Amino acid sequence: MPAGGAPGDGAPGDGAPGRHRRHGRADDGPPGTGEDALLEGLVPELPPGDWTELGPGDDAAVVRADDGRVVVTTDALVAERHFRPRTASPEDVGWKAAAQNLADVAAMGAVPTALVVALVVPERPPEPWAEGWTTSLARGLAAACRSLDGAQGCGVVGGDLTGGDQVVVSVTALGDLRGLAPVRRDGARPGDLVALAGVQGRSAAGLAVLERRARRAAAAWAGSRVESAADEGIADLVRAHRRPRPPCAAGPAAAEAGATAMLDVSDGLVRDAGRLARAGAVVLDLSSELLAPHHEAVLSVADLLGVEAWRLVLEGGEDHGLLATFPAEAVLPEGFELVGVVRAGTAPGVLVDGEPYGRTGGWDHFV
Amino acid sequence: MPAGGAPGDGAPGDGAPGRHRRHGRADDGPPGTGEDALLEGLVPELPPGDWTELGPGDDAAVVRADDGRVVVTTDALVAERHFRPRTASPEDVGWKAAAQNLADVAAMGAVPTALVVALVVPERPPEPWAEGWTTSLARGLAAACRSLDGAQGCGVVGGDLTGGDQVVVSVTALGDLRGLAPVRRDGARPGDLVALAGVQGRSAAGLAVLERRARRAAAAWAGSRVESAADEGIADLVRAHRRPRPPCAAGPAAAEAGATAMLDVSDGLVRDAGRLARAGAVVLDLSSELLAPHHEAVLSVADLLGVEAWRLVLEGGEDHGLLATFPAEAVLPEGFELVGVVRAGTAPGVLVDGEPYGRTGGWDHFV
């Protein structure tokens, strides 16, 4: 290349790294093309929110934080890691990205007030999504905020849209503690009650259904016991995977009721209970009898699929329920059901019916 | 596959989508492996911050919002779109991701209080980055917060670490308005002064140097006019590209001085000035005489590279200076220099020395 500095020679604007657009900056460039068009479709879908003082369109948004503190959490969903475009619609992915962040806010005892979203958009939609999927994804974000109990006032106040090889949806959620202390993970004390709000095992059951279908479709297998037995129950489980419903209102209710510790159950009940146990240096003893309704809810599908229903309940992730501990004398707030007790112990961990839970031995006789 | 429910048969934990880890959740799994090891290296690098009430390790962080409102903005950097691992170190990328979000907060007139980061980490580091790059990136985030004037109290309070094909760094920044109204984009009025804080054109000049070097290296071209003329000035410009220094303290100072409008100059001076102009339905008339120091600063390198110095100043992006308008009687706060005036006009837009600026015609005689 001659040293003459032809156009495109490293000067700005020649496609070198650096171009960037934010929601609501659709204020130049020909309309109907590229990111401007995406923004035009997307921004009107976003719920304004009850706490929003300034929404999309400026360098940053402004959100009320009446309490004088703000809860903040961030979580990204990556295509083929956290969702598969073949089995999840863009609406589903938007919903899920919102829901898991709303659950993290609720798990501190806070009311969700606002979301911002950074979206990586490949040049072509991932199969089988269609052009315009970013608008659909925004609709999913909005639907989660509007539909989840306790999240109705949460706005989507801003974001960032950028190119990349793979769909990534990074959501940050803010929340308000309403004058209460945040409910941390490390406050469980011996004698406390262990309680769960929300469902457990259904998302994993729904995922198992989807994965089975995908494998059968790939093998061009025409019939399916699952398909032939398809009923409302199975559809419910698939929906529970695609659109988890964290009980957002239960988080602030737990804080008011004096919860000593709480977290969002995203990685499985035993695994997340183990986090509470280790953070508080206690033992959480879960009761299979108290968890039986969750077992019932996935049993018939588990049988059809040939997976263990108890594994779904105890190890299944992504339901985004809230696991909390309460003083023994507390009245459990609406949405929570007793599932166990906190015990003292030299080795922090999780028991099921008084026995250690693990893949090898202990209570884990069903693996 | 038999319908017997073998391990890996769609049950949770078999590598299906859904696994997720957050900063500070390095509380299970064997130490020294995978994401736990990444977290162990990364979290200690993060600055705790002056506003932080609860940092990484729980479902969410808690940050003071003394003002009763919180400013929030999000921006993602994608490998090969916003940076090239061959010319930017992980520290550079962390710095840049922090800096551009801090600039957006400052552009509202707010003091940055906290960052959260969602990081997509491919299985293998992008060439030529080494294992452990996530810790280096965290160091870059921390260095920006500690080094940028006006951002010193900003903590990195949480995040999310997940797998993916391509490095993506999504940062969300929070800020505090200290009782002042946010400085929006739409407040410029005829007669206002136009002022700029920070540098302009240097990042684009540094990028041009790097791109030239990369092409020459690719062509196995041994000598280089740029290399042979390498001096401190060139190194400074490359540094300005790799580690932009938004004048974060100037944002709140502008709000106190009564700025009528402000934005972060991320996409080039004329382009971003055009946004202020359209938002306020006014004309911004920039003065080449007043901008001459910026022109001087890039002139020698522009000449060496054969690019137009004025294009760097007027079109170069990513310096993350602050462009603001002030009432005519205002005393410009420290850090701001007068660069033009606001005029009334039927067609909102940008003039340079009273002439329309554009690629074809007008003031743009040098293209």
Side-chain angles (χ1 to χ4, degrees):
Chain A
M1 162 146 332
D9 190 32
D14 68 354
R19 290 288 152 188
H20 235 286
R21 303 301 307 279
R22 289 179 198 85
H23 288 176
R25 286 199 186 171
D27 54 359
D28 48 24
T33 62
E35 289 178 302
D36 291 330
L38 293 187
L39 286 169
E40 272 165 33
L42 195 153
V43 172
E45 299 294 337
L46 305 177
D50 293 347
W51 282 267
T52 309
E53 293 212 342
L54 182 64
D58 217 301
D59 292 85
V62 182
V63 179
R64 263 184 21 241
D66 298 333
D67 172 77
R69 295 166 298 172
V70 65
V71 165
V72 57
T73 183
T74 193
D75 248 348
L77 292 181
V78 180
E80 303 304 339
R81 301 272 170 159
H82 305 105
F83 63 90
R84 302 196 197 286
R86 293 210 167 273
T87 58
S89 71
E91 287 90 345
D92 292 337
V93 173
W95 176 294
K96 201 165 189 166
Q100 70 181 29
N101 281 281
L102 296 168
D104 279 329
V105 166
M108 303 306 289
V111 176
T113 56
L115 306 179
V116 293
V117 189
L119 198 54
V120 178
V121 182
E123 207 171 322
R124 266 179 271 178
E127 288 276 338
W129 291 4
E131 298 289 345
W133 65 267
T134 54
T135 298
S136 306
L137 191 140
R139 264 185 219 126
L141 285 165
C145 293
R146 276 196 285 263
S147 308
L148 292 173
D149 196 28
Q152 279 88 358
C154 184
V156 181
V157 300
D160 178 45
L161 211 55
T162 184
D165 296 345
Q166 183 178 33
V167 175
V168 179
V169 189
S170 289
V171 172
T172 299
L174 305 183
D176 189 273
L177 288 163
R178 300 168 313 145
L180 299 172
V183 184
R184 301 167 51 148
R185 296 181 168 195
D186 59 0
R189 295 295 168 254
D192 280 357
L193 310 174
V194 181
L196 178 67
V199 300
Q200 182 52 37
R202 295 194 206 182
S203 174
L207 174 61
V209 170
L210 291 171
E211 298 274 317
R212 177 66 58 91
R213 282 183 190 161
R215 272 196 300 277
R216 293 212 156 131
W221 190 87
S224 159
R225 275 171 66 201
V226 171
E227 294 293 347
S228 63
D231 60 24
E232 196 45 45
I234 288 176
D236 277 350
L237 295 174
V238 169
R239 201 175 300 121
H241 176 68
R242 287 180 168 149
R243 304 211 173 185
R245 299 189 69 90
C248 296
E256 274 169 36
T260 51
M262 184 156 54
L263 51 48
D264 157 45
V265 185
S266 51
D267 292 334
L269 184 56
V270 167
R271 194 166 173 177
D272 283 319
R275 290 175 172 140
L276 277 195
R278 282 187 294 278
V282 291
V283 171
L284 265 64
D285 191 355
L286 304 176
S287 156
S288 63
E289 193 183 329
L290 295 172
L291 287 166
H294 298 281
H295 183 254
E296 295 260 313
V298 297
L299 187 57
S300 61
V301 164
D303 279 351
L304 278 173
L305 292 168
V307 298
E308 286 288 346
W310 274 115
R311 270 190 71 185
L312 295 174
V313 173
L314 294 169
E315 297 181 27
E318 298 198 281
D319 286 301
H320 299 291
L322 298 174
L323 185 69
T325 57
F326 294 89
E329 67 279 10
V331 176
L332 294 184
E334 200 183 321
F336 279 93
E337 298 287 343
L338 189 70
V339 297
V341 292
V342 180
R343 302 191 190 283
T346 46
V350 179
L351 307 176
V352 180
D353 298 339
E355 301 276 336
Y357 179 81
R359 287 288 182 97
T360 53
W363 197 82
D364 195 15
H365 53 269
F366 49 74
V367 176
Chain B
M1 164 150 327
D9 189 33
D14 68 353
R19 289 288 153 190
H20 235 285
R21 302 302 305 279
R22 290 181 196 86
H23 287 175
R25 288 200 184 169
D27 55 357
D28 50 22
T33 61
E35 288 176 304
D36 292 330
L38 293 186
L39 286 169
E40 272 165 33
L42 195 154
V43 172
E45 300 294 336
L46 305 176
D50 293 347
W51 282 266
T52 309
E53 293 212 342
L54 181 63
D58 218 302
D59 291 85
V62 182
V63 178
R64 264 186 19 243
D66 300 332
D67 172 75
R69 295 166 297 173
V70 64
V71 164
V72 57
T73 182
T74 194
D75 247 347
L77 292 181
V78 179
E80 304 302 341
R81 302 273 170 156
H82 305 105
F83 63 90
R84 302 198 198 284
R86 293 210 165 273
T87 58
S89 72
E91 287 90 345
D92 293 337
V93 173
W95 176 295
K96 202 166 190 164
Q100 71 181 29
N101 280 281
L102 294 169
D104 280 327
V105 167
M108 302 306 290
V111 176
T113 57
L115 306 179
V116 293
V117 189
L119 197 54
V120 178
V121 181
E123 207 170 323
R124 267 179 271 179
E127 287 276 342
W129 291 4
E131 298 289 345
W133 66 267
T134 54
T135 298
S136 306
L137 190 141
R139 265 186 218 122
L141 286 165
C145 293
R146 275 195 286 264
S147 308
L148 291 174
D149 197 27
Q152 278 89 0
C154 185
V156 182
V157 300
D160 177 44
L161 210 55
T162 186
D165 295 345
Q166 183 179 34
V167 175
V168 179
V169 189
S170 289
V171 172
T172 298
L174 305 183
D176 190 272
L177 288 163
R178 300 168 314 143
L180 299 172
V183 184
R184 300 167 51 146
R185 296 182 168 193
D186 58 0
R189 296 293 168 256
D192 281 357
L193 310 174
V194 181
L196 178 68
V199 299
Q200 183 51 39
R202 296 195 205 182
S203 174
L207 175 61
V209 171
L210 290 171
E211 299 273 319
R212 177 66 58 90
R213 281 183 190 163
R215 273 195 299 278
R216 293 211 154 134
W221 189 87
S224 160
R225 275 170 68 201
V226 171
E227 293 294 346
S228 64
D231 60 24
E232 196 46 43
I234 288 176
D236 277 351
L237 295 175
V238 170
R239 202 174 299 121
H241 175 69
R242 287 179 168 150
R243 304 211 174 186
R245 300 189 67 90
C248 296
E256 274 168 38
T260 50
M262 183 157 53
L263 51 48
D264 157 45
V265 184
S266 52
D267 292 334
L269 184 57
V270 167
R271 193 164 174 178
D272 283 318
R275 291 176 174 142
L276 278 195
R278 281 187 295 278
V282 292
V283 172
L284 266 63
D285 191 354
L286 305 175
S287 155
S288 63
E289 194 182 330
L290 295 172
L291 287 166
H294 297 281
H295 183 254
E296 296 258 314
V298 297
L299 186 57
S300 61
V301 164
D303 279 352
L304 277 172
L305 292 168
V307 297
E308 286 289 347
W310 274 116
R311 270 191 70 184
L312 295 174
V313 173
L314 294 169
E315 297 182 27
E318 298 199 281
D319 287 300
H320 299 290
L322 297 174
L323 186 69
T325 56
F326 294 89
E329 67 279 11
V331 177
L332 294 184
E334 201 185 318
F336 278 93
E337 300 286 345
L338 188 69
V339 297
V341 292
V342 180
R343 303 191 189 284
T346 46
V350 179
L351 308 176
V352 179
D353 299 338
E355 300 278 335
Y357 179 82
R359 287 288 183 95
T360 51
W363 197 81
D364 195 15
H365 52 270
F366 48 74
V367 176

